[in-house]
Amino acid sequence: LLESIPVIFISALSDPSDKVLGFQKGAVDYIEKPFSGQEVKARVATHLKLQYYQKQLEEQVASSEKRFQLTFENAAVGIAHARMDGSFFRVNKCFCNILGYGEQDFESLTVKNLTLPGEWEQDLLTLQDLFCNKIATIRREKQFIRKDKKIIWGRVTVSMARDSQNDSEYGIMVIEDITDRIEAETNR
């Protein structure tokens, strides 16, 4: 509780090193003597407003993160976040269901493990183009190998999450199982 109370040092010491020390010890402001009561009240009011806005911002960020997590987890399509080497660091339930693996399995799997032999080299080149910003998005229908070794068809879209400098952070892979549609078309 005490951490939430802003501390303002009031001191006759005016050397910059004393001020720095005050801030290093946790002060949010430093007022030199002599001072006016109105100045102290104004600074206290300002810091209380800042603290209020900071708390509001933290609550908004937490709410936004919660909405993202719910959207990610409950999406009707498979979603995975993957690094440039094809390793996964986040997958949703639908992605796991489509490919037949548990969430923990993806800690050791890569996109290569899910790809038909002979297709990985081309997929890797395309992924590198995406990560290097040579292309914006990958959209295609391709086959995947499930955990039970069954081959399925998926409509896959891969795009990039980029930082403020437009550098690649990770790939966002969205997959929809279209095996039934492909088999129906084949049987026609």
Side-chain angles (χ1 to χ4, degrees):
L1 182 64
L2 292 177
E3 299 89 32
S4 65
I5 299 172
V7 175
I8 300 174
F9 279 122
I10 298 175
S11 176
L13 301 174
S14 61
D15 187 78
S17 64
D18 294 321
K19 293 178 184 180
V20 168
L21 182 60
F23 288 121
Q24 287 174 339
K25 296 296 182 184
V28 296
D29 206 344
Y30 192 99
I31 301 173
E32 293 178 31
K33 291 181 180 180
F35 61 88
S36 74
Q38 288 180 324
E39 178 185 9
V40 173
K41 284 182 183 179
R43 289 191 186 205
V44 167
T46 297
H47 287 291
L48 289 174
K49 281 182 192 173
L50 286 172
Q51 186 179 43
Y52 170 78
Y53 292 133
Q54 178 69 29
K55 186 174 187 220
Q56 292 294 104
L57 185 60
E58 289 170 359
E59 288 172 0
Q60 288 174 359
V61 167
S63 175
S64 177
E65 176 62 28
K66 181 74 171 168
R67 281 192 308 274
F68 163 79
Q69 192 64 30
L70 286 171
T71 301
F72 183 86
E73 285 302 321
N74 297 305
V77 293
I79 304 173
H81 294 170
R83 297 173 191 88
M84 188 171 176
D85 65 359
S87 63
F88 299 99
F89 64 93
R90 182 181 292 137
V91 295
N92 72 354
K93 293 174 199 163
C94 190
F95 194 85
C96 293
N97 292 339
I98 289 171
L99 294 164
Y101 289 95
E103 190 174 335
Q104 300 288 335
D105 295 327
F106 285 98
E107 292 175 6
S108 61
L109 291 171
T110 67
V111 176
K112 182 178 181 178
N113 300 120
L114 310 173
T115 302
L116 292 177
E119 290 187 10
W120 173 241
E121 290 75 21
Q122 182 58 47
D123 285 354
L124 183 59
L125 291 173
T126 307
L127 282 172
Q128 288 171 343
D129 286 346
L130 180 68
F131 271 84
C132 294
N133 211 13
K134 293 180 182 176
I135 57 175
T137 306
I138 301 168
R139 284 188 185 92
R140 59 184 275 213
E141 293 179 356
K142 66 171 273 165
Q143 292 179 303
F144 291 91
I145 304 169
R146 287 177 41 92
K147 183 177 184 176
D148 60 10
K149 303 301 181 207
K150 180 181 174 188
I151 305 297
I152 64 163
W153 279 93
R155 177 182 298 119
V156 64
T157 302
V158 184
S159 56
M160 292 303 308
R162 298 190 182 278
D163 64 17
S164 60
Q165 285 78 38
N166 204 31
D167 291 331
S168 302
E169 295 233 339
Y170 55 90
I172 303 167
M173 179 184 218
V174 177
I175 183 173
E176 179 184 359
D177 186 346
I178 59 167
T179 305
D180 292 342
R181 188 200 84 202
I182 296 291
E183 287 176 355
E185 289 174 2
T186 303
N187 291 333
R188 270 190 241 153

